[in-house]
Structure formats: structure tokens, C-alpha cells
Amino acid sequence: MAADEKTEAKTEQAKGKIKEVAGRAVGNERLTAEGRAEQTKGDARQAKEKAKDALTD
């Protein structure tokens, strides 16, 4: 389960980065903001998984 969550976090971060870059390229502030938000959500999920790993080690 943890590996799935970690993979999902990385995927979310990557999708967010793509949205952010695309938004900047076309001048779409909403898309840029969505991308940043998605990256932040992925970062939070990744931090949660790292904390779980630290507690179980």
C-alpha cells in the first residue's frame, strides 16, 4: 500500500509540474495555479508517507 501511495504522490507532483509549465507557456494563470496546487498536494502526500516510514523503522 505504501508503495502505491508513494507512486501516486510522485505522479501527482509530475502532473502538477506539467500543468504549471504549460500554464506559464500559454499565459494561463489558472492552469499555472492548478499545477502548483497539485504539486503541493503531492508533496504533502509524500511527506506523510515519509513520516509513516520513519515511524515504522
Side-chain angles (χ1 to χ4, degrees), residues 12-13 15-21 23 28-42:
E12 202 160 31
Q13 289 169 328
K15 283 173 39 181
K17 186 65 175 175
I18 291 168
K19 278 186 181 180
E20 181 183 3
V21 170
N28 186 328
E29 291 180 25
R30 186 183 63 89
L31 187 59
T32 302
E34 281 180 17
R36 280 195 214 120
E38 209 165 306
Q39 286 180 70
T40 302
K41 189 175 172 185

Side-chain angles (χ1 to χ4, degrees):
M1 180 80 166
D4 291 338
E5 287 290 324
K6 288 179 185 177
T7 301
E8 195 169 325
K10 288 287 186 185
T11 301
E12 202 160 31
Q13 289 169 328
K15 283 173 39 181
K17 186 65 175 175
I18 291 168
K19 278 186 181 180
E20 181 183 3
V21 170
R24 284 186 183 172
V26 298
N28 186 328
E29 291 180 25
R30 186 183 63 89
L31 187 59
T32 302
E34 281 180 17
R36 280 195 214 120
E38 209 165 306
Q39 286 180 70
T40 302
K41 189 175 172 185
D43 291 344
R45 184 175 291 189
Q46 186 176 31
K48 180 183 85 172
E49 289 303 315
K50 284 184 178 181
K52 277 192 213 175
D53 288 347
L55 292 174
T56 59
D57 286 345

